């Protein structure tokens, strides 16, 4: 399988290590045999100066003349169904845009009033649909898992997604060329849900993008366990976004 990693945070993301310079990221990715990588620094609030800073990644990349395909994007938080934390003009300049529809741990992101598993499942599906309707989303990162939400039963959330609604949203994503991320480190805890997701995705022509949400140099590569996980879930080249 030709590998890519579309969720890599550079040192421009506060949560990433200082070692995550563009140069180091490219070196690690090349060493790991990745053909394409995506630099996806966080944008959590509408902030023109932040967007400007991220756009500077283009000239940093170009100066390095990387031997692999390095795409410049962002991971924008979705605040509510209709609000994404990045300006449309900036989104159009970027190579790709990850829209995080489940950054529920951020205090300015709308949470469901009733914080039950089924309310979260319904809310997250609505958020994803909003991200698709927005029109500039390339990939939904870490979909369906609400790992950072405390006091909620995560397997109950996965079980609560209305399968009819889920299939409708996946089909809409496919029509609008929005892909869903598969992070092997997340998949391995809920293999059955993700097997089902890939199956449903295949039925409607949905594409998936691989990502590890790397914040440190050693997190950029896929190790043996990651590759085994992808294999066990049934991920094949034909399911992946052609980047
Ligand atoms: Zn995220
Ligand atoms: Zn991330």
């Amino acid at each position: 399988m030709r590998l890519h990693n579309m969720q890599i945070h550079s040192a421009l993301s506060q949560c990433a290590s200082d070692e995550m310079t563009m140069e180091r990221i490219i070196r690690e990715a090349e060493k790991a045999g990745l053909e394409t990588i995506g630099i996806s620094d966080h944008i959590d609030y509408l902030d023109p100066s932040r967007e400007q800073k991220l756009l500077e990644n283009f000239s940093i990349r170009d100066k390095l003349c990387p031997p692999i395909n390095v795409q410049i994007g962002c991971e924008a938080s979705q605040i509510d169904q209709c609000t994404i934390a990045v300006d449309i003009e900036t989104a159009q300049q970027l190579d790709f845009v990850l829209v995080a529809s489940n950054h529920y741990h951020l205090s300015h992101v709308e949470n469901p009033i009733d914080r039950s598993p089924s309310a979260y499942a319904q809310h997250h599906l609505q958020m994803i649909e909003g991200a698709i309707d927005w029109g500039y989303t390339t990939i939904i990162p870490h979909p369906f898992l609400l790992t950072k939400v405390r006091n909620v039963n995560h397997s109950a959330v996965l079980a609560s997604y209305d399968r009819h609604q889920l299939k409708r949203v996946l089909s809409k994503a496919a029509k609008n060329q929005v892909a869903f991320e598969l992070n092997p480190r997340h998949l391995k805890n809920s293999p059955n849900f993700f097997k089902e997701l890939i199956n449903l995705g295949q039925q409607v022509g949905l594409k998936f993008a691989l990502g590890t949400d790397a914040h440190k140099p050693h997190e950029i590569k896929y190790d043996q366990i990651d590759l085994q996980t992808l294999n066990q879930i049934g991920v094949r080249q034909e399911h992946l976004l052609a980047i």
Side-chain angles (χ1 to χ4, degrees):
M1 198 154 61
R2 295 196 312 278
L3 293 171
H4 59 250
N5 186 345
M6 296 307 286
Q7 195 178 169
I8 299 177
H9 294 273
S10 84
L12 274 185
S13 294
Q14 269 184 0
C15 43
S17 134
D18 289 342
E19 296 170 286
M20 293 292 268
T21 60
M22 184 88 71
E23 203 175 354
R24 178 76 188 271
I25 291 170
I26 293 168
R27 200 162 7 110
E28 295 290 335
E30 200 192 348
K31 216 164 63 184
L34 302 180
E35 288 189 6
T36 301
I37 57 169
I39 308 294
S40 60
D41 286 308
H42 286 290
I43 303 183
D44 290 328
Y45 300 88
L46 277 166
D47 172 2
S49 66
R50 175 76 182 156
E51 292 175 12
Q52 214 39 53
K53 195 83 204 142
L54 262 61
L55 288 170
E56 287 169 17
N57 272 335
F58 279 102
S59 52
I60 299 172
R61 174 199 66 186
D62 293 347
K63 269 189 208 131
L64 292 168
C65 289
I68 58 169
N69 180 6
V70 179
Q71 302 203 355
I72 305 300
C74 71
E75 180 185 4
S77 286
Q78 184 172 5
I79 313 300
D80 59 38
Q81 198 177 351
C82 304
T83 318
I84 317 291
V86 62
D87 189 74
I88 284 171
E89 250 178 65
T90 303
Q92 286 174 314
Q93 290 178 62
L94 293 165
D95 291 326
F96 71 102
V97 179
L98 307 184
V99 174
S101 303
N102 51 4
H103 274 174
Y104 289 118
H105 57 290
L106 300 177
S107 59
H108 62 297
V109 168
E110 183 188 272
N111 276 245
I113 298 162
D114 165 21
R115 302 201 171 197
S116 65
S118 61
Y120 267 113
Q122 206 183 345
H123 192 273
H124 182 36
L125 274 184
Q126 283 165 1
M127 292 279 267
I128 291 174
E129 196 162 3
I132 297 166
D133 289 337
W134 180 57
Y136 302 94
T137 304
T138 319
I139 300 164
I140 306 284
H142 42 64
F144 306 113
L145 292 169
L146 314 179
T147 43
K148 288 186 176 168
V149 183
R150 288 183 193 163
N151 306 322
V152 66
N153 179 333
H154 296 290
S155 42
V157 175
L158 292 180
S160 298
Y161 290 108
D162 178 299
R163 282 354 194 216
H164 179 74
Q165 288 291 343
L166 178 61
K167 193 167 177 186
R168 190 183 59 74
V169 171
L170 297 182
S171 167
K172 188 172 187 176
K175 279 196 196 85
N176 289 275
Q177 295 181 314
V178 174
F180 282 70
E181 182 187 73
L182 294 174
N183 179 342
R185 290 155 208 175
H186 291 163
L187 305 184
K188 71 169 185 274
N189 299 323
S190 321
N192 292 335
F193 178 85
F194 286 102
K195 272 184 197 163
E196 189 188 347
L197 184 69
I198 287 164
N199 247 317
L200 284 173
Q202 198 162 21
Q203 288 172 33
V204 300
L206 181 73
K207 293 293 179 196
F208 295 92
L210 302 177
T212 66
D213 203 0
H215 286 74
K216 296 181 184 127
H218 74 271
E219 293 172 347
I220 293 171
K221 66 172 184 298
Y222 297 97
D223 61 24
Q224 277 313 312
I225 294 173
D226 294 331
L227 297 174
Q228 271 169 23
T229 304
L230 292 174
N231 194 29
Q232 277 160 10
I233 305 282
V235 182
R236 293 193 304 275
Q237 190 71 51
E238 70 204 69
H239 301 139
L240 302 180
L241 195 63
I243 313 170

